[in-house]
Amino acid sequence: MITRFTRLLPRRRVFAAAAALAVLAGPGQALDRLEFQAPGADKDLLAALKGASLLMSSELDGQEDAQDLFAAARAEYGRLLGTLYAAGHYSGVISIRIDGREAAGIAPLDAPARINVIEVRVEPGPAFRFSEARVAPLAAGTELPRGFVIGQPALSGTVRDAAAAGVAGWRDAGHAKAGIAGQEVTADHRDATLAARIALEPGPRLRFGPLAVEGEARMRERRIVKIAGLPEGEVFSPEELDRAANRLRRTGVFKSVTLAEGEVLSPDLLPITATVVEEKPRRFSLGAEIASQDGLSLSGYWLHRNLLGGAERLRVDGEIANIGAQNSGIDYKLGLTLDRPATLTPDTTLGFAAEIGHLDEEDFQADVATLGLGLTHYFSDNLTGRIGFDYEYANGRDLVDDFLFRNVSVPIGVTLDRRNDKTDATSGYYLDGEVKPFFGFGTTGSGIRSTLDARAYLGLGAEDRFVLAGRLQLGMVTGSSLLATPRDDLFYSGGGGTVRGQPYQSLGVNVTRGLLSPKIGGTHFIGAQLEARAKVTDAIGVVGFFDAGRIDVGDFFGTAGDWHSGAGLGLRYDTGFGPIRLDLAMPVGGTTGDGLQIYVGLGQAF
């Protein structure tokens, strides 16, 4: 027997639940028994059928109303048959009996007021294979699904994916209106084969037409068009369309952004309409972290997303840190940044930054200020590059003498972020590297400060409920002597950002200056953090971790260097916008710490 159909439709008619049933019959009684059988189905197919079953879901949810059960039974045919088709079974037989009567044969007006037993039986029949698998015509370079080949299992999803891939191939080649002209799918039940033939209609090759904007209120339309950067007049590209939408979303000005293709204009222009919904222009945020020895840190910011109507972002940041710290005083800073997207190119953001602050560390105090101008370029959603020009100033005193550092620097950095979640990653990796040449005035030295931050995540088990996470940090200053390098460009180890279980910035180097040997930061730093994260429930997780750090002068692993380490346990509570973090850590190696350290904050440690 050969069955011919132009779409993959159920063999048995699927009935919709009648809304009037709830008022035509009184309250039903509880279901006594639900039987679900699928003779001949393998383990995976049986699990898929049960997972698609509304009746199984109703039983698990404790559904007792007869009208709801009857409606679920009538909708069951289509769901189960769709599951069979998805697994390549096209001659299945489905029977759903309500107290001995086939559910499909019961008229909606005769719905039972009481249901005692429901019996579901699915005979999947043989698994079909492709006897023909053809999509034509195809654009050059189109890749069809691997399974869409003669002799492979004839899964309905594979047929749909092949059709979608064919259309996508033509769209990638500039044929924006490509579609399916016809499809013929023939099932031969005698030899359990399926012949799939899909005809495509590429349509003309089109170019981007003008971009129209709808929904803007405070944002200027001209700036929206510039930020989107849609290349009007160039050949249509779905990738360029997605990039334009992402550029608009990246500004933070909009709640939602959609780009829709219009009707073709003469001769070959395709107009695009951007529909946007704007966010509220202002927002603020407050944060806090506390550690047993480092004290309390309070931070916050105020943000204006659209200062001048062109997506200019003004942000004012403030922080007070080390309140109640055991080995240092209170640090504070106030900063301002102003960013303007789509400067020079649609993917380039111009930024201005200014910051003033006071540092009260264990080995020095200083008033500091920074003034800078920078460009950030988005090469892709995952890769960004940046370059800046900064003036840095620090006036203070260490344990021996006063100091004044002044320099200009040119920081150049690259960030590659392939994490699946920026606040609670379970897979992927993150790389950030920066090289900062600095040129000192007066007694300030000149050199290069280089840093690398590398993180990786590996999820294990069902739904990544167990995650291994690792972090490696490297830093070095070359070309400038230790005492001629600005103090905040030197490296320390210890605390939540480097080695938990060791006091904040407790590891540096001792230098001999007269009769004193004060501790300052080093020119070389290596840090490593390892975590094993496990979810106990959907909201609660536990973490075990080990951190280590080393500070050196002049070179890595030099004779003047030293190391320390710490380990501990942590608790995480998922708030939906990031986990709340509680870490308890003890020193393991080194001589810089003694006793329990406690850390509380928002988000994973890295």
Side-chain angles (χ1 to χ4, degrees):
M1 177 179 66
I2 297 178
T3 302
R4 188 183 301 273
F5 45 101
T6 57
R7 292 186 180 178
L8 297 174
L9 298 175
R11 296 176 62 241
R12 190 185 296 272
R13 185 180 178 187
V14 180
F15 291 86
L21 293 179
V23 297
L24 293 177
Q29 302 297 320
L31 177 67
D32 292 335
R33 189 172 78 253
L34 171 63
E35 295 182 1
F36 194 105
Q37 298 179 347
D42 60 25
K43 180 181 177 181
D44 292 339
L45 179 56
L46 178 60
L49 289 167
K50 287 186 175 181
S53 171
L54 288 174
L55 290 170
M56 292 293 292
S57 299
S58 297
E59 184 184 43
L60 292 174
D61 294 340
Q63 183 60 254
E64 298 182 354
D65 185 78
Q67 306 304 319
D68 291 337
L69 291 171
F70 175 60
R74 290 166 65 85
E76 191 88 333
Y77 295 101
R79 294 177 66 90
L80 295 179
L81 201 56
T83 303
L84 289 177
Y85 281 7
H89 295 264
Y90 296 92
S91 59
V93 177
I94 300 172
S95 175
I96 303 170
R97 303 182 71 83
I98 298 177
D99 291 331
R101 302 168 62 194
E102 190 67 36
I106 302 175
L109 296 180
D110 292 334
R114 174 187 175 90
I115 296 178
N116 296 316
V117 178
I118 298 180
E119 301 167 291
V120 180
R121 182 180 176 87
V122 181
E123 297 178 10
F128 282 52
R129 292 185 175 274
F130 286 115
S131 61
E132 187 175 356
R134 186 174 64 189
V135 179
L138 290 176
T142 302
E143 294 187 6
L144 297 178
R146 290 185 177 182
F148 194 65
V149 178
I150 294 174
Q152 292 297 309
L155 313 182
S156 63
T158 303
V159 179
R160 287 192 295 268
D161 291 344
V167 172
W170 281 112
R171 283 177 57 82
D172 289 340
H175 298 256
K177 296 300 183 179
I180 298 174
Q183 53 183 323
E184 186 177 4
V185 183
T186 304
D188 190 335
H189 297 269
R190 294 171 300 185
D191 56 6
T193 60
L194 190 79
R197 295 176 288 273
I198 301 170
L200 301 180
E201 174 55 54
R205 196 167 189 239
L206 301 176
R207 295 179 297 126
F208 280 116
L211 176 66
V213 180
E214 295 179 354
E216 78 280 13
R218 293 171 290 270
M219 187 76 174
R220 300 196 304 274
E221 180 177 341
R222 182 176 61 83
R223 282 290 292 161
I224 294 176
V225 172
K226 185 174 182 180
I227 293 170
L230 205 64
E232 184 176 346
E234 294 187 10
V235 174
F236 171 85
S237 166
E239 182 180 356
E240 283 293 340
L241 200 63
D242 291 341
R243 291 185 65 184
N246 288 336
R247 290 184 188 113
L248 292 172
R249 296 185 185 107
R250 197 164 58 214
T251 64
V253 174
F254 307 107
K255 287 182 180 179
S256 66
V257 176
T258 58
L259 266 62
E261 302 163 20
E263 295 301 320
V264 180
L265 300 177
S266 179
D268 59 350
L269 293 179
L270 180 69
I272 305 295
T273 299
T275 303
V276 299
V277 178
E278 294 183 7
E279 286 272 15
K280 293 181 179 179
R282 302 171 185 84
R283 67 170 294 184
F284 68 90
S285 176
L286 299 174
E289 290 194 10
I290 188 170
S292 55
Q293 192 159 351
D294 307 337
L296 174 66
S297 296
L298 300 175
S299 61
Y301 70 82
W302 177 88
L303 172 70
H304 196 302
R305 294 186 174 94
N306 190 19
L307 184 66
L308 303 174
E312 300 87 359
R313 291 168 61 92
L314 174 65
R315 174 165 168 158
V316 180
D317 289 86
E319 182 181 22
I320 303 176
N322 302 335
I323 302 172
Q326 298 183 22
N327 298 319
S328 63
I330 296 177
D331 298 344
Y332 55 84
K333 65 181 180 180
L334 179 66
L336 178 147
T337 59
L338 179 63
D339 294 329
R340 183 181 187 270
T343 303
L344 302 182
T345 78
D347 291 308
T348 306
T349 296
L350 173 67
F352 168 81
E355 183 178 280
I356 58 173
H358 176 77
L359 301 176
D360 190 348
E361 306 299 339
E362 183 178 357
D363 56 315
F364 75 92
Q365 295 184 7
D367 295 318
V368 296
T370 302
L371 193 66
L373 191 68
L375 291 171
T376 300
H377 187 78
Y378 295 85
F379 296 98
S380 69
D381 292 339
N382 307 114
L383 181 63
T384 60
R386 60 189 182 275
I387 185 171
F389 183 84
D390 298 339
Y391 173 77
E392 299 171 315
Y393 169 92
N395 186 9
R397 180 178 179 82
D398 60 21
L399 298 178
V400 177
D401 200 359
D402 294 336
F403 60 77
L404 173 63
F405 292 108
R406 295 170 297 155
N407 69 274
V408 294
S409 62
V410 184
I412 304 170
V414 176
T415 301
L416 178 61
D417 190 349
R418 292 191 176 276
R419 295 173 293 179
N420 64 333
D421 188 319
K422 287 179 171 52
T423 60
D424 191 8
T426 60
S427 65
Y429 59 90
Y430 171 92
L431 296 172
D432 181 83
E434 183 175 275
V435 176
K436 185 179 79 169
F438 60 92
F439 308 92
F441 302 107
T443 58
T444 306
S446 299
I448 300 176
R449 186 180 194 267
S450 306
T451 59
L452 174 67
D453 186 356
R455 312 173 193 180
Y457 308 86
L458 176 62
L460 302 171
E463 299 180 349
D464 294 333
R465 299 188 72 84
F466 186 79
V467 177
L468 296 176
R471 183 184 191 186
L472 175 66
Q473 296 171 281
L474 298 174
M476 65 178 181
V477 175
T478 57
S480 175
S481 67
L482 180 65
L483 296 180
T485 302
R487 293 292 183 265
D488 52 351
D489 277 339
L490 297 176
F491 300 99
Y492 297 84
S493 182
T498 52
V499 178
R500 288 161 289 184
Q502 299 287 353
Y504 175 68
Q505 292 192 351
S506 57
L507 182 61
V509 295
N510 293 320
V511 294
T512 300
R513 299 174 66 186
L515 299 177
L516 299 177
S517 297
K519 183 196 76 174
I520 65 174
T523 60
H524 290 67
F525 165 64
I526 297 177
Q529 295 177 297
L530 297 174
E531 286 195 351
R533 306 170 183 171
K535 279 194 171 183
V536 180
T537 68
D538 288 341
I540 298 175
V542 293
V543 175
F545 58 86
F546 175 81
D547 302 342
R550 180 179 177 89
I551 297 294
D552 286 282
V553 177
D555 202 354
F556 290 110
F557 303 105
T559 57
D562 201 0
W563 71 280
H564 62 178
S565 60
L569 297 174
L571 185 67
R572 305 289 186 265
Y573 179 78
D574 189 358
T575 62
F577 54 85
I580 295 176
R581 179 179 78 255
L582 169 64
D583 286 336
L584 307 177
M586 293 284 291
V588 174
T591 60
T592 55
D594 182 20
L596 179 69
Q597 302 285 319
I598 302 173
Y599 306 87
V600 179
L602 181 63
Q604 295 285 4
F606 61 90

